[in-house]
Amino acid sequence: MASNRGIAYLEPGKTEVQDIPYPEFELKDGPGVNPDNVGRPVPHGAILKVVTTNICGSDQHMVRGRTTAPQDLILGHEITGEVIETGPGVEFIKEGDICSVPFNIACGRCRNCKERATGICLNVNPDRPGSAYGYVDMGGWVGGQAEYVLVPYADWNLLKFPDRDQALAKIMGLTMLSDIFPTGFHGAVSAGTEVGSTVYVAGAGPVGLAAAASAQLLGAAVVIVGDLNEERLAQARSFGCETVDVSKGPVPDQLEQILGLPEVDCGVDAVGFEARGHGEQASTEQPAAVLNSLMDVTRAGGGLGIPGLYVTGDPGAATDAAKEGSLSIRLGLGWAKSHYFVTGQCPVMKYHRGLMQAILHDKVDIATAVNATKVSLDEAPQAYQDFDSGVAKKYVIDPHGMVS
């Protein structure tokens, strides 16, 4: 049997490369695996040789110790790979196919999947609707920051690229289809972005940059990105965004300097529960700060897309309420302005084929927008530390040296 290696979470601030079991067509017991999933047969699955797998800000929440992730959990839900073996129940996906793997694990059979809500599949996670690879409380499906990974329901989940050589040539963009590009796009779409919109994206991390690029793709007139990190703001400006430094004064005032108005049509929260305050409070963690700011600056009748992660368990939170995801949100303000909110996991399959076409036909350069940066599997623990320091890079792990 072939060997396998993967990136494991050890303790807050620390990951390491470990020897891990080679995938089989059965979910085995291990760190984070729900007992009801142990022994689950996967005849509908495929084993992939990982071509690329990315470090995500959601991974970073776990590595910082801000979730209940167990020691030795194998990380990684952003996966692109080559099919090297299929189970007896796989009919259409073939060995040799290069495919994008949506981070949502979905069965394709339940009510939610049939209604395109693949982020809340009812059948893959005994804990709650919705599942993902290598993530806490998501059923225990082994993560893909590894050399090889098992993908269940392969015919349903895998997006096959039409041409192998073309896919490998554009892999640094296509690797973003597993999560952050559809997630950013979902944030922009669900906020109501359309031709001529003014859009404010809170957060200049990779998801925020992907949301900004998505807003441009959707025809926004002006895209403004807010953050505390000047390096990340510079990255947003590099592809035509306006920016505001939220530590340097009220966001409405800065928007008015750009637009002539202190508000925008659409707001996107690409930060989530580790948000910090604005202005003089920028050094203090305030998990509701971004949501409240977005309600303040989004016009009456506008929408808020919220792809930023919020959790039900945060042991590192400053208050007991925040530890269970209870935040001091100014819902009255949102109600008074007739805002609508769209939250939750992005249903990747709703968007990824169209975004694949945009990449393949050079309608968007998402790899450049998020500053995609290749590292080896052995370099990944250091990349986690660098990413946590705030560098304006999206780290792409290349376990087999397949990225030119």
Side-chain angles (χ1 to χ4, degrees):
M1 181 178 293
S3 62
N4 194 16
R5 298 190 304 152
I7 306 298
Y9 164 68
L10 295 185
E11 59 187 34
K14 188 173 182 180
T15 62
E16 73 173 10
V17 181
Q18 293 183 354
D19 292 325
I20 62 174
Y22 186 82
E24 301 179 41
F25 293 106
E26 178 181 304
L27 188 54
K28 304 292 187 179
D29 196 7
V33 180
N34 186 291
D36 292 336
N37 260 354
V38 175
R40 182 171 181 162
V42 191
H44 42 68
I47 295 173
L48 271 60
K49 178 181 179 181
V50 176
V51 176
T52 55
T53 177
N54 315 325
I55 296 176
C56 181
S58 298
D59 297 320
Q60 201 72 59
H61 293 308
M62 290 187 290
V63 173
R64 291 190 187 116
R66 296 300 295 267
T67 71
T68 55
Q71 182 180 359
D72 295 326
L73 179 74
I74 302 303
L75 301 165
H77 56 271
E78 300 190 8
I79 308 164
T80 306
E82 177 184 3
V83 176
I84 58 173
E85 187 177 356
T86 57
V90 177
E91 185 175 0
F92 303 110
I93 290 292
K94 305 298 182 185
E95 292 181 18
D97 289 345
I98 304 288
C99 302
S100 179
V101 184
F103 80 89
N104 325 106
I105 302 173
C107 71
R109 295 154 166 80
C110 71
R111 172 182 176 174
N112 286 346
C113 284
K114 290 180 179 180
E115 293 178 357
R116 303 183 77 189
T118 52
I120 44 174
C121 173
L122 300 173
N123 289 331
V124 288
N125 181 6
D127 285 320
R128 62 173 66 91
S131 187
Y133 304 88
Y135 212 85
V136 58
D137 295 333
M138 287 293 188
W141 301 90
V142 178
Q145 286 175 14
E147 294 172 331
Y148 301 93
V149 69
L150 172 68
V151 174
Y153 303 102
D155 280 327
W156 169 251
N157 282 306
L158 293 178
L159 173 67
K160 177 185 173 181
F161 298 138
D163 181 85
R164 178 187 178 90
D165 291 339
Q166 183 189 36
L168 291 175
K170 294 180 176 288
I171 196 66
M172 291 296 275
L174 294 172
T175 189
M176 305 305 163
L177 292 172
S178 57
D179 183 354
I180 69 161
F181 194 12
T183 293
F185 192 83
H186 179 60
V189 167
S190 58
T193 305
E194 58 187 13
V195 173
S197 295
T198 56
V199 183
Y200 175 59
V201 179
V207 170
L209 296 173
S214 297
Q216 292 175 336
L217 187 62
L218 289 163
V222 184
V223 180
I224 305 164
V225 180
D227 204 289
L228 299 160
N229 183 317
E230 175 52 35
E231 183 181 347
R232 290 183 168 185
L233 291 174
Q235 181 63 28
R237 290 192 294 271
S238 74
F239 60 96
C241 298
E242 301 284 348
T243 60
V244 299
D245 184 334
V246 300
S247 71
K248 294 183 178 179
V251 173
D253 293 350
Q254 296 189 64
L255 293 181
E256 188 164 20
Q257 292 175 13
I258 296 168
L259 299 171
L261 296 170
E263 62 181 18
V264 292
D265 297 318
C266 313
V268 180
D269 175 3
V271 178
F273 73 103
E274 288 193 73
R276 294 189 175 275
H278 296 168
E280 295 179 355
Q281 298 177 323
S283 62
T284 305
E285 188 168 302
Q286 297 183 15
V290 167
L291 291 172
N292 289 331
S293 174
L294 285 173
M295 285 187 281
D296 190 27
V297 302
T298 301
R299 68 172 180 85
L304 274 63
I306 309 174
L309 176 68
Y310 289 87
V311 294
T312 57
D314 175 12
T319 67
D320 289 340
K323 286 179 181 178
E324 62 177 18
S326 296
L327 309 181
S328 298
I329 297 171
R330 294 187 65 195
L331 188 59
L333 176 60
W335 188 93
K337 296 178 78 172
S338 293
H339 286 156
Y340 64 87
F341 302 73
V342 179
T343 68
Q345 285 188 39
C346 164
V348 169
M349 294 174 70
K350 185 175 180 179
Y351 307 109
H352 66 173
R353 185 173 297 278
L355 294 177
M356 174 189 73
Q357 292 287 83
I359 293 169
L360 292 178
H361 295 282
D362 299 319
K363 299 303 181 184
V364 63
D365 186 357
I366 190 64
T368 298
V370 301
N371 196 16
T373 303
K374 181 182 73 169
V375 296
S376 69
L377 193 67
D378 290 312
E379 293 170 327
Q382 181 61 50
Y384 264 104
Q385 294 184 30
D386 294 343
F387 186 41
D388 195 39
S389 73
V391 297
K393 296 179 180 180
K394 174 67 174 178
Y395 285 107
V396 176
I397 302 170
D398 176 14
H400 295 279
M402 296 180 69
V403 179
S404 61

